[in-house]
Amino acid sequence: MFIMGFILSIQGISAQKVGLVLSGGGAKGATHIGVIKALEENNIPIDYVTGTSIGAIIGSLYAMGYSPEEMLELLLSDEFGYWQSGTVESNYIYSFKKPEPTPEIVHFSVSISDSLSIKPNLFPQSLINPIQMNQAFMGLFAQATAKSFWNFDNLFVPFRCVASDIYNKKSIIFRSGPLADAVRASMSFPLVFKPLWKDSVPLFDGGIYDNFPVTPMQEAFHPDFIFGCAVSGTAVKPSENIYNQLETMVMQKTVYDIPEEDGMMLKFSFPNVSLLDFQRAKELMDIGYYRTLELIDSIKGRVPREVPLEDVTKRRTEYKESLPPLIFQNINITGVTESQKSYIEAQLHRDINGVFSMEEFKQAYFKMLTYSKIKEIIPHAVYNWREKIFDLNLDVTMSDDVIIGFGGNVSSYQANQLFLGISYQNISSFATDLNANFQVGNSFDGILLNSRFYLQSKIPAYINVQGAFSNKKYAESQSLFYEDIVPSIIKQKELFMSLKFGFPFLGKSKTEIGISYGGLNDYYLQTTNMSFSNAGFDHSQYNILSASFNIERNTLDYNQYPTSGKKQKFRALYAIGSDNFMPSLGSSQERINDKTDNWLKIDGLWNKYFVLHKNFNIGVLGEFVLSSRKLLNNYTATILQAPAFSPTPHSTIVFNEAFRANQYVAGGASPIFKLSKMAHLRADLFCFAPLKEIKKETIQLENPNQYLDKPYYGKLFRSFEYMGEVALVLQLPFASISLYANGYSYPKNNFNFGINIGYLIFNPRMVN
């Protein structure tokens, strides 16, 4: 009996349990992976895990069977980059419902469904858009949640994580429920990530109140030995990094310590690693690995029990193989009215019916969120044990009914614009978008009225009714928002209405078939060699009826100065119209009435950005125009109506006749050096080649002091023009700021430099 008791006592010692505590600290938490790797390779058991923030992410991955190598691979993957940046991959961008770009910077939401309320939205609710994380965390944690029966003690390794209830000023410990929600709440760093709401209370990063959850470990599991890893909270010097400053402001003082009688710990200091520096994960993992190896003999002296890595790997494989497949069938929608629910269900069932996979859901999920009326979708996967399949619960939040937007551009050059936009969106049996946009400035004035009705047809489709008035002015004016004493030498006024029918093309692109009717009026001086006080404008008027066919796909990340994605566009347009020319008073030119013309125009654009290095992208652009439009009665009228090549913001506001032609090819490249996630330095270099240059021949009129520039075509490919721009760009979540310098091959010595704050986006044109 004595021998048996001795054996049992030895077994009790060898069966001691080990808990692993992982602190928060953003990207610095990649160090935790190295710690786990070193412990596993030296047969030191990990029986329980608790973590906060990044410690909750790493801890939860380990708790549901991820190996250290798999965790590192995930942190370095493109998918993880999308999650922690909120970027939607180009494969999931749905051009069919992508909103048309506007120069909006700030907007106010007005809810008219209940009591009238106005909510300003100068800044986004979070720096990182939650659209990616909502779906990614569900897919990542759904299977382990199902197998555990929502009890974290039943995971591969029992697990706890901590979040913060800032209203009641206390920590919240997650021990059950959806694992995705627990981890999401624990890592929701204020302002960076949107909080998770639970019982009408927003939950934020657990590090606010407990960034090193030793007490939750002791209270939940009572381990015999605790090993801790702290990557935050050590004394650091003040940092200029905004994320580090934010971390210092938000996190309350935490004691990073484990009593000697309870265990051991490692403390790391990374003053030069910011919250989202996950690209340094391999470097940080290695630091954690080798530092832990230095303590291995001491750890083994405290933990005589060993669990061979082969046994852990075998159990991990068996656990993963026992997870239920992530396959869905039933969809439940909450948070919306019955009519909105019916609309969303109809949209979903176009793409997913019966049994569907996570990939199929992602396609439908991002497609729905392209429509801006649907503000957010929080998905939950609930396992149906009877049917052995997951049910999909979607909690949908709609945007307010009316959005009032303000924006435009402030510039050191003649591009100061003010923008006001009013939009109304409604979902019932079908979706309705009503928009009114107004712009005023010293370069452009305009009104755009747009109505779009998305049909509940078998094939997605919409009907779009649009009316636009535009007044484009070209002048060397330096005034702010109003026209200077010096008048514009060119004014182009345009008023048209269009009716378009749109539908998806090849899944990702948008096709539009439309008709338009409108009047175009050009006012111009055919020469500037005169006193402005005596100047009289010639007037060309065009009444045009057109039919068009357009295919477009746009996945560019920014509407101005993009750095990734691609844009492809093809359009065929047939137009018929009349040409009326009214010379200025005192001119010897003859008046022309109702000269009819018809022409076919085909144009296309291809613009794509390639990632060559983590800090270097290059964009490539190609564009062509082929038009059978005849030359008009004078050179100025002809060149004004000729399509323009304007690939940069500056080129859209200047009139440069050398970059206009009825038929041309153009292209160029844009090397981009990424200085940070929001700032980059770029060079935009382009070449323009008209098939036949529009040239002019000066003819003397009856009045000996008056001349007419008669247009004619030059020889094939005899003219080449160039433009280049260098810009330092800061892309804020709500505006673009650019400091630029550019030059054109024509006129000679045409160099410009300046600054733009905002966006230069104008109304669509009818035929150009």
Side-chain angles (χ1 to χ4, degrees), residues 612-660:
L612 302 183
H613 184 267
K614 67 179 183 178
N615 293 323
F616 181 72
N617 289 9
I618 188 166
V620 178
L621 180 142
E623 183 177 320
F624 77 90
V625 172
L626 299 173
S627 173
S628 64
R629 191 170 190 180
K630 297 177 182 178
L631 299 176
L632 302 176
N633 72 299
N634 65 74
Y635 171 80
T636 307
T638 302
I639 208 72
L640 274 171
Q641 285 297 307
F645 177 61
S646 51
T648 64
H650 183 268
S651 62
T652 64
I653 62 168
V654 297
F655 181 81
N656 193 325
E657 59 192 279
F659 292 87
R660 288 173 172 256

Short mmCIF file of all heavy atoms in Angstrom, two decimals, residues 612-660:
data_model
loop_
_atom_site.label_atom_id
_atom_site.label_comp_id
_atom_site.label_asym_id
_atom_site.label_seq_id
_atom_site.Cartn_x
_atom_site.Cartn_y
_atom_site.Cartn_z
N LEU A 612 4.33 45.43 -56.75
CA LEU A 612 5.65 44.85 -57.02
C LEU A 612 6.44 44.62 -55.74
O LEU A 612 7.33 43.78 -55.70
CB LEU A 612 6.44 45.77 -57.95
CG LEU A 612 5.78 46.08 -59.31
CD1 LEU A 612 6.71 46.93 -60.15
CD2 LEU A 612 5.42 44.80 -60.04
N HIS A 613 6.10 45.36 -54.70
CA HIS A 613 6.78 45.25 -53.41
C HIS A 613 5.83 45.83 -52.38
O HIS A 613 4.90 46.58 -52.72
CB HIS A 613 8.11 46.03 -53.44
CG HIS A 613 8.93 45.90 -52.19
ND1 HIS A 613 8.84 46.82 -51.16
CD2 HIS A 613 9.84 44.98 -51.80
CE1 HIS A 613 9.67 46.47 -50.19
NE2 HIS A 613 10.29 45.36 -50.55
N LYS A 614 6.03 45.51 -51.13
CA LYS A 614 5.13 46.02 -50.09
C LYS A 614 5.13 47.55 -50.04
O LYS A 614 4.17 48.16 -49.58
CB LYS A 614 5.49 45.44 -48.73
CG LYS A 614 6.84 45.89 -48.19
CD LYS A 614 7.11 45.30 -46.82
CE LYS A 614 8.43 45.80 -46.24
NZ LYS A 614 8.68 45.26 -44.88
N ASN A 615 6.21 48.17 -50.55
CA ASN A 615 6.29 49.63 -50.54
C ASN A 615 6.29 50.23 -51.94
O ASN A 615 6.56 51.43 -52.09
CB ASN A 615 7.55 50.09 -49.80
CG ASN A 615 7.49 49.75 -48.31
OD1 ASN A 615 6.44 49.83 -47.70
ND2 ASN A 615 8.62 49.38 -47.75
N PHE A 616 6.01 49.41 -52.95
CA PHE A 616 6.09 49.94 -54.31
C PHE A 616 5.03 49.31 -55.19
O PHE A 616 4.95 48.09 -55.32
CB PHE A 616 7.47 49.70 -54.91
CG PHE A 616 7.63 50.24 -56.30
CD1 PHE A 616 7.71 51.61 -56.52
CD2 PHE A 616 7.68 49.39 -57.39
CE1 PHE A 616 7.86 52.11 -57.80
CE2 PHE A 616 7.82 49.89 -58.68
CZ PHE A 616 7.91 51.25 -58.88
N ASN A 617 4.18 50.15 -55.78
CA ASN A 617 3.19 49.73 -56.77
C ASN A 617 3.47 50.47 -58.07
O ASN A 617 4.15 51.51 -58.08
CB ASN A 617 1.76 50.06 -56.32
CG ASN A 617 1.29 49.18 -55.18
OD1 ASN A 617 2.07 48.43 -54.60
ND2 ASN A 617 0.03 49.28 -54.83
N ILE A 618 2.93 49.95 -59.14
CA ILE A 618 3.00 50.67 -60.41
C ILE A 618 1.65 50.56 -61.12
O ILE A 618 1.05 49.48 -61.16
CB ILE A 618 4.15 50.17 -61.30
CG1 ILE A 618 4.29 51.09 -62.52
CG2 ILE A 618 3.93 48.72 -61.72
CD1 ILE A 618 5.58 50.89 -63.28
N GLY A 619 1.18 51.68 -61.60
CA GLY A 619 -0.08 51.70 -62.35
C GLY A 619 0.20 51.83 -63.83
O GLY A 619 1.15 52.50 -64.25
N VAL A 620 -0.62 51.18 -64.62
CA VAL A 620 -0.50 51.23 -66.08
C VAL A 620 -1.85 51.66 -66.63
O VAL A 620 -2.90 51.14 -66.22
CB VAL A 620 -0.10 49.87 -66.66
CG1 VAL A 620 -0.02 49.94 -68.18
CG2 VAL A 620 1.24 49.42 -66.09
N LEU A 621 -1.84 52.61 -67.57
CA LEU A 621 -3.07 53.13 -68.14
C LEU A 621 -2.99 53.11 -69.66
O LEU A 621 -1.97 53.47 -70.25
CB LEU A 621 -3.35 54.55 -67.64
CG LEU A 621 -4.63 55.22 -68.17
CD1 LEU A 621 -5.30 56.04 -67.08
CD2 LEU A 621 -4.33 56.12 -69.38
N GLY A 622 -4.09 52.70 -70.28
CA GLY A 622 -4.24 52.78 -71.72
C GLY A 622 -5.62 53.29 -72.06
O GLY A 622 -6.60 52.94 -71.39
N GLU A 623 -5.72 54.16 -73.07
CA GLU A 623 -7.00 54.75 -73.43
C GLU A 623 -7.03 54.99 -74.93
O GLU A 623 -6.00 55.33 -75.54
CB GLU A 623 -7.20 56.07 -72.67
CG GLU A 623 -8.54 56.74 -72.91
CD GLU A 623 -8.71 58.00 -72.07
OE1 GLU A 623 -8.30 57.99 -70.89
OE2 GLU A 623 -9.25 58.99 -72.61
N PHE A 624 -8.19 54.80 -75.54
CA PHE A 624 -8.33 55.10 -76.96
C PHE A 624 -9.70 55.71 -77.23
O PHE A 624 -10.67 55.47 -76.49
CB PHE A 624 -8.15 53.85 -77.82
CG PHE A 624 -9.34 52.92 -77.83
CD1 PHE A 624 -10.35 53.08 -78.79
CD2 PHE A 624 -9.47 51.92 -76.89
CE1 PHE A 624 -11.45 52.25 -78.81
CE2 PHE A 624 -10.57 51.08 -76.90
CZ PHE A 624 -11.57 51.24 -77.86
N VAL A 625 -9.78 56.51 -78.29
CA VAL A 625 -11.04 57.09 -78.76
C VAL A 625 -11.04 57.02 -80.29
O VAL A 625 -10.06 57.41 -80.94
CB VAL A 625 -11.21 58.55 -78.31
CG1 VAL A 625 -12.43 59.17 -78.98
CG2 VAL A 625 -11.35 58.64 -76.80
N LEU A 626 -12.15 56.56 -80.85
CA LEU A 626 -12.35 56.56 -82.30
C LEU A 626 -13.70 57.20 -82.57
O LEU A 626 -14.74 56.69 -82.12
CB LEU A 626 -12.31 55.14 -82.87
CG LEU A 626 -11.02 54.36 -82.69
CD1 LEU A 626 -11.19 52.92 -83.15
CD2 LEU A 626 -9.88 55.02 -83.45
N SER A 627 -13.69 58.31 -83.27
CA SER A 627 -14.94 59.04 -83.54
C SER A 627 -14.99 59.43 -85.01
O SER A 627 -13.98 59.88 -85.58
CB SER A 627 -15.03 60.29 -82.66
OG SER A 627 -16.15 61.08 -83.03
N SER A 628 -16.17 59.27 -85.59
CA SER A 628 -16.36 59.66 -86.99
C SER A 628 -16.94 61.06 -87.12
O SER A 628 -17.39 61.45 -88.21
CB SER A 628 -17.27 58.65 -87.69
OG SER A 628 -18.57 58.66 -87.12
N ARG A 629 -16.96 61.82 -86.03
CA ARG A 629 -17.55 63.15 -86.08
C ARG A 629 -16.77 64.05 -87.03
O ARG A 629 -15.52 64.07 -87.03
CB ARG A 629 -17.58 63.77 -84.68
CG ARG A 629 -18.41 65.04 -84.61
CD ARG A 629 -18.63 65.51 -83.19
NE ARG A 629 -19.61 66.59 -83.14
CZ ARG A 629 -20.00 67.18 -82.02
NH1 ARG A 629 -19.49 66.79 -80.86
NH2 ARG A 629 -20.89 68.15 -82.06
N LYS A 630 -17.48 64.82 -87.83
CA LYS A 630 -16.86 65.69 -88.83
C LYS A 630 -16.26 66.92 -88.16
O LYS A 630 -16.64 67.31 -87.06
CB LYS A 630 -17.89 66.11 -89.87
CG LYS A 630 -18.46 64.95 -90.69
CD LYS A 630 -19.53 65.45 -91.65
CE LYS A 630 -20.15 64.29 -92.43
NZ LYS A 630 -21.22 64.76 -93.35
N LEU A 631 -15.34 67.53 -88.88
CA LEU A 631 -14.79 68.80 -88.43
C LEU A 631 -15.87 69.87 -88.53
O LEU A 631 -16.68 69.89 -89.46
CB LEU A 631 -13.58 69.18 -89.28
CG LEU A 631 -12.41 68.19 -89.24
CD1 LEU A 631 -11.32 68.64 -90.21
CD2 LEU A 631 -11.85 68.08 -87.84
N LEU A 632 -15.88 70.78 -87.57
CA LEU A 632 -16.90 71.82 -87.53
C LEU A 632 -16.44 73.05 -88.30
O LEU A 632 -15.37 73.05 -88.92
CB LEU A 632 -17.24 72.14 -86.08
CG LEU A 632 -17.73 70.92 -85.26
CD1 LEU A 632 -17.95 71.29 -83.80
CD2 LEU A 632 -19.01 70.35 -85.86
N ASN A 633 -17.20 74.12 -88.25
CA ASN A 633 -16.95 75.24 -89.15
C ASN A 633 -15.71 76.04 -88.79
O ASN A 633 -15.16 76.76 -89.62
CB ASN A 633 -18.17 76.16 -89.21
CG ASN A 633 -18.33 76.96 -87.93
OD1 ASN A 633 -18.50 76.39 -86.85
ND2 ASN A 633 -18.27 78.28 -88.05
N ASN A 634 -15.23 75.95 -87.55
CA ASN A 634 -13.99 76.64 -87.19
C ASN A 634 -13.17 75.77 -86.24
O ASN A 634 -13.68 74.83 -85.64
CB ASN A 634 -14.26 78.02 -86.57
CG ASN A 634 -15.00 77.95 -85.25
OD1 ASN A 634 -14.42 77.58 -84.23
ND2 ASN A 634 -16.29 78.29 -85.25
N TYR A 635 -11.92 76.10 -86.12
CA TYR A 635 -11.00 75.27 -85.35
C TYR A 635 -11.37 75.22 -83.88
O TYR A 635 -11.38 74.14 -83.27
CB TYR A 635 -9.57 75.82 -85.52
CG TYR A 635 -8.57 75.15 -84.60
CD1 TYR A 635 -8.03 73.91 -84.90
CD2 TYR A 635 -8.18 75.76 -83.40
CE1 TYR A 635 -7.12 73.28 -84.05
CE2 TYR A 635 -7.28 75.16 -82.55
CZ TYR A 635 -6.76 73.92 -82.87
OH TYR A 635 -5.87 73.30 -82.02
N THR A 636 -11.71 76.35 -83.28
CA THR A 636 -12.01 76.39 -81.85
C THR A 636 -13.22 75.54 -81.53
O THR A 636 -13.22 74.78 -80.54
CB THR A 636 -12.22 77.83 -81.38
OG1 THR A 636 -11.10 78.63 -81.76
CG2 THR A 636 -12.37 77.88 -79.87
N ALA A 637 -14.28 75.67 -82.33
CA ALA A 637 -15.47 74.85 -82.11
C ALA A 637 -15.14 73.37 -82.22
O ALA A 637 -15.62 72.54 -81.44
CB ALA A 637 -16.56 75.23 -83.11
N THR A 638 -14.31 73.01 -83.18
CA THR A 638 -13.95 71.60 -83.39
C THR A 638 -13.16 71.05 -82.22
O THR A 638 -13.44 69.95 -81.71
CB THR A 638 -13.13 71.46 -84.69
OG1 THR A 638 -13.88 71.96 -85.79
CG2 THR A 638 -12.76 70.01 -84.93
N ILE A 639 -12.17 71.80 -81.77
CA ILE A 639 -11.31 71.30 -80.70
C ILE A 639 -12.05 71.27 -79.37
O ILE A 639 -11.77 70.43 -78.50
CB ILE A 639 -10.01 72.15 -80.62
CG1 ILE A 639 -8.85 71.29 -80.07
CG2 ILE A 639 -10.21 73.41 -79.80
CD1 ILE A 639 -8.35 70.26 -81.04
N LEU A 640 -13.02 72.18 -79.19
CA LEU A 640 -13.82 72.17 -77.96
C LEU A 640 -14.68 70.92 -77.87
O LEU A 640 -14.89 70.36 -76.78
CB LEU A 640 -14.71 73.41 -77.90
CG LEU A 640 -14.11 74.67 -77.31
CD1 LEU A 640 -15.05 75.85 -77.53
CD2 LEU A 640 -13.82 74.50 -75.83
N GLN A 641 -15.21 70.45 -79.00
CA GLN A 641 -16.06 69.27 -79.01
C GLN A 641 -15.27 67.97 -79.13
O GLN A 641 -15.85 66.88 -79.01
CB GLN A 641 -17.07 69.37 -80.15
CG GLN A 641 -18.20 70.35 -79.88
CD GLN A 641 -19.05 69.93 -78.69
OE1 GLN A 641 -19.53 68.81 -78.61
NE2 GLN A 641 -19.21 70.84 -77.73
N ALA A 642 -13.99 68.06 -79.35
CA ALA A 642 -13.17 66.85 -79.46
C ALA A 642 -12.94 66.25 -78.07
O ALA A 642 -12.77 66.99 -77.08
CB ALA A 642 -11.83 67.19 -80.11
N PRO A 643 -12.94 64.93 -77.95
CA PRO A 643 -12.66 64.29 -76.65
C PRO A 643 -11.28 64.69 -76.13
O PRO A 643 -10.33 64.85 -76.90
CB PRO A 643 -12.73 62.80 -76.98
CG PRO A 643 -13.59 62.70 -78.20
CD PRO A 643 -13.28 63.95 -78.99
N ALA A 644 -11.18 64.83 -74.81
CA ALA A 644 -9.94 65.26 -74.17
C ALA A 644 -9.34 64.12 -73.36
O ALA A 644 -10.05 63.34 -72.72
CB ALA A 644 -10.18 66.46 -73.27
N PHE A 645 -8.03 64.04 -73.38
CA PHE A 645 -7.29 63.08 -72.53
C PHE A 645 -6.89 63.83 -71.28
O PHE A 645 -6.06 64.74 -71.32
CB PHE A 645 -6.07 62.55 -73.28
CG PHE A 645 -5.21 61.62 -72.46
CD1 PHE A 645 -5.73 60.44 -71.96
CD2 PHE A 645 -3.89 61.93 -72.18
CE1 PHE A 645 -4.94 59.57 -71.20
CE2 PHE A 645 -3.09 61.08 -71.44
CZ PHE A 645 -3.62 59.89 -70.94
N SER A 646 -7.49 63.46 -70.13
CA SER A 646 -7.24 64.19 -68.88
C SER A 646 -7.10 63.19 -67.72
O SER A 646 -8.03 63.02 -66.93
CB SER A 646 -8.38 65.18 -68.60
OG SER A 646 -9.63 64.53 -68.70
N PRO A 647 -5.96 62.53 -67.60
CA PRO A 647 -5.79 61.47 -66.60
C PRO A 647 -5.45 61.95 -65.20
O PRO A 647 -5.44 61.15 -64.26
CB PRO A 647 -4.64 60.65 -67.18
CG PRO A 647 -3.81 61.67 -67.91
CD PRO A 647 -4.78 62.66 -68.47
N THR A 648 -5.15 63.24 -65.03
CA THR A 648 -4.79 63.77 -63.70
C THR A 648 -5.82 64.81 -63.27
O THR A 648 -6.50 65.41 -64.11
CB THR A 648 -3.39 64.41 -63.73
OG1 THR A 648 -3.43 65.55 -64.60
CG2 THR A 648 -2.34 63.43 -64.23
N PRO A 649 -5.94 65.06 -61.97
CA PRO A 649 -6.89 66.09 -61.52
C PRO A 649 -6.64 67.45 -62.17
O PRO A 649 -7.57 68.13 -62.57
CB PRO A 649 -6.68 66.13 -60.01
CG PRO A 649 -6.19 64.76 -59.66
CD PRO A 649 -5.34 64.34 -60.82
N HIS A 650 -5.37 67.83 -62.29
CA HIS A 650 -5.06 69.14 -62.86
C HIS A 650 -5.49 69.21 -64.32
O HIS A 650 -6.01 70.24 -64.78
CB HIS A 650 -3.56 69.44 -62.74
CG HIS A 650 -3.17 70.79 -63.25
ND1 HIS A 650 -2.76 71.00 -64.55
CD2 HIS A 650 -3.15 72.01 -62.64
CE1 HIS A 650 -2.48 72.27 -64.72
NE2 HIS A 650 -2.71 72.91 -63.58
N SER A 651 -5.31 68.14 -65.07
CA SER A 651 -5.64 68.16 -66.50
C SER A 651 -7.13 68.24 -66.75
O SER A 651 -7.55 68.56 -67.86
CB SER A 651 -5.06 66.93 -67.20
OG SER A 651 -5.60 65.73 -66.68
N THR A 652 -7.97 67.98 -65.74
CA THR A 652 -9.41 68.08 -65.92
C THR A 652 -9.91 69.52 -65.85
O THR A 652 -11.04 69.80 -66.26
CB THR A 652 -10.16 67.25 -64.85
OG1 THR A 652 -9.90 67.80 -63.55
CG2 THR A 652 -9.75 65.79 -64.90
N ILE A 653 -9.10 70.42 -65.33
CA ILE A 653 -9.57 71.81 -65.15
C ILE A 653 -8.88 72.79 -66.09
O ILE A 653 -9.22 73.97 -66.08
CB ILE A 653 -9.36 72.27 -63.68
CG1 ILE A 653 -7.88 72.26 -63.32
CG2 ILE A 653 -10.18 71.41 -62.74
CD1 ILE A 653 -7.57 72.95 -62.02
N VAL A 654 -7.91 72.33 -66.87
CA VAL A 654 -7.25 73.22 -67.82
C VAL A 654 -7.65 72.83 -69.23
O VAL A 654 -7.93 71.66 -69.52
CB VAL A 654 -5.71 73.18 -67.67
CG1 VAL A 654 -5.29 73.67 -66.30
CG2 VAL A 654 -5.17 71.78 -67.94
N PHE A 655 -7.69 73.82 -70.10
CA PHE A 655 -7.98 73.55 -71.51
C PHE A 655 -6.67 73.50 -72.27
O PHE A 655 -5.97 74.51 -72.38
CB PHE A 655 -8.89 74.63 -72.09
CG PHE A 655 -9.25 74.38 -73.52
CD1 PHE A 655 -10.26 73.50 -73.84
CD2 PHE A 655 -8.55 75.01 -74.55
CE1 PHE A 655 -10.59 73.25 -75.17
CE2 PHE A 655 -8.88 74.77 -75.87
CZ PHE A 655 -9.90 73.89 -76.19
N ASN A 656 -6.33 72.32 -72.76
CA ASN A 656 -5.08 72.15 -73.50
C ASN A 656 -5.41 71.48 -74.83
O ASN A 656 -5.69 70.29 -74.90
CB ASN A 656 -4.10 71.30 -72.70
CG ASN A 656 -2.69 71.35 -73.27
OD1 ASN A 656 -2.51 71.42 -74.48
ND2 ASN A 656 -1.70 71.31 -72.38
N GLU A 657 -5.39 72.28 -75.90
CA GLU A 657 -5.82 71.78 -77.20
C GLU A 657 -4.93 70.68 -77.74
O GLU A 657 -5.36 69.87 -78.58
CB GLU A 657 -5.86 72.94 -78.21
CG GLU A 657 -4.53 73.64 -78.39
CD GLU A 657 -4.67 74.95 -79.16
OE1 GLU A 657 -4.75 74.89 -80.39
OE2 GLU A 657 -4.72 76.00 -78.51
N ALA A 658 -3.69 70.59 -77.25
CA ALA A 658 -2.78 69.57 -77.75
C ALA A 658 -3.17 68.17 -77.30
O ALA A 658 -2.70 67.18 -77.86
CB ALA A 658 -1.35 69.88 -77.29
N PHE A 659 -4.02 68.06 -76.26
CA PHE A 659 -4.44 66.76 -75.74
C PHE A 659 -5.92 66.49 -76.05
O PHE A 659 -6.61 65.84 -75.29
CB PHE A 659 -4.18 66.69 -74.23
CG PHE A 659 -2.72 66.69 -73.88
CD1 PHE A 659 -2.03 67.88 -73.72
CD2 PHE A 659 -2.03 65.49 -73.77
CE1 PHE A 659 -0.67 67.88 -73.42
CE2 PHE A 659 -0.68 65.48 -73.47
CZ PHE A 659 0.00 66.67 -73.29
N ARG A 660 -6.37 67.02 -77.22
CA ARG A 660 -7.73 66.77 -77.68
C ARG A 660 -7.69 66.32 -79.13
O ARG A 660 -6.94 66.87 -79.94
CB ARG A 660 -8.59 68.05 -77.57
CG ARG A 660 -8.95 68.42 -76.14
CD ARG A 660 -9.64 69.76 -76.06
NE ARG A 660 -10.13 70.01 -74.72
CZ ARG A 660 -11.41 69.91 -74.35
NH1 ARG A 660 -12.34 69.56 -75.24
NH2 ARG A 660 -11.79 70.14 -73.11
#
